[in-house]
Amino acid sequence: MRGEPSCPKCGGRVRAPGLFADTWQCSAHGVVHPLQPVLPPSVEALSVAVSRAEVPVWMPWPLPVGWLFSGIAYAGDDRSGGRATAVACSGPGPLGGFGELLLVAEELGVGLGARYAGIDGPDPGAHIAMEKPPQTKVLAAGRPTPLWHVTGTPADRAVFAGEARGLWLWAIVWPEQSGLLMYDELVLTDLRDAGAEVELLPCGALSPRILS
């Protein structure tokens, strides 16, 4: 597991603020919000990320039957707070086998969702057709939230993106056929608004997807 911040767009090394710059810098992408080391799945790790987040921390709630929380990451630092969050869950796929879901909330331009989606970022851009009807929708913090299928992604995953609370919401599902999960009117909760029931969250093994 990585032990130091990295670029949310490419995973490369970043230069910390110093004498000549007061921002984090990636040699390829310039000023970035650093992706902090991924936290193993535990209620304590989740609480740390939630307390620092300036954007939603989306999670299916309740989790689909048999699914587990399997990791969390965020981009930002102590000064700016979390400007992007990624929550991983895993469990039985709707067509059998094993499925994984990664939910990303981020400010415009951070680029974390595009990285997990496997497209050139930093935002969905031309990869979604928002002028056309959405392919699916979720209920995010009580609001019906349309999501569009993201094109041009690797064949091993299904990717959807839309806008929730004025920020990008990405849903990346592996394998591609487990994308059917997104057509079940998934209910998402912003864990910043959740209560003590989060302490009962079932935790599984760390997802390798969130490390990629």
Side-chain angles (χ1 to χ4, degrees):
M1 197 183 307
R2 295 166 300 162
E4 58 184 33
S6 60
C7 175
K9 299 175 181 178
C10 67
R13 297 186 67 177
V14 288
R15 199 164 55 249
L19 185 60
F20 299 106
D22 59 0
T23 55
W24 290 82
Q25 304 272 337
C26 168
S27 59
H29 294 105
V31 177
V32 296
H33 292 293
L35 180 63
Q36 298 298 328
V38 172
L39 302 172
S42 69
V43 173
E44 293 76 16
L46 192 60
S47 298
V48 169
V50 168
S51 68
R52 295 177 180 172
E54 298 292 333
V55 300
V57 183
W58 295 118
M59 179 175 283
W61 197 263
L63 283 167
V65 174
W67 280 62
L68 304 170
F69 164 56
S70 53
I72 186 164
Y74 73 94
D77 58 19
D78 291 340
R79 184 174 59 178
S80 68
R83 301 295 177 169
T85 61
V87 173
C89 303
S90 55
L95 296 180
F98 186 72
E100 296 189 77
L101 168 66
L102 196 62
L103 293 169
V104 177
E106 64 181 355
E107 294 180 349
L108 188 72
V110 175
L112 186 60
R115 173 179 163 190
Y116 286 129
I119 62 172
D120 291 333
D123 301 309
H127 291 275
I128 59 174
M130 296 183 76
E131 72 280 2
K132 296 181 179 180
Q135 278 71 46
T136 187
K137 65 179 180 180
V138 296
L139 198 65
R143 291 180 175 270
T145 302
L147 296 178
W148 285 263
H149 181 247
V150 178
T151 61
T153 63
D156 66 341
R157 70 201 72 180
V159 182
F160 300 85
E163 193 178 310
R165 292 190 165 177
L167 302 159
W168 287 120
L169 166 60
W170 300 76
I172 304 106
V173 190
W174 293 266
E176 188 270 340
Q177 59 265 33
S178 288
L180 289 173
L181 181 73
M182 300 305 302
Y183 295 90
D184 288 340
E185 296 202 349
L186 212 58
V187 176
L188 305 183
T189 292
D190 181 355
L191 293 182
R192 297 179 301 169
D193 302 330
E197 65 268 21
V198 172
E199 296 178 9
L200 304 175
L201 188 69
C203 300
L206 179 63
S207 169
R209 302 295 185 185
I210 204 167
L211 294 169
S212 62

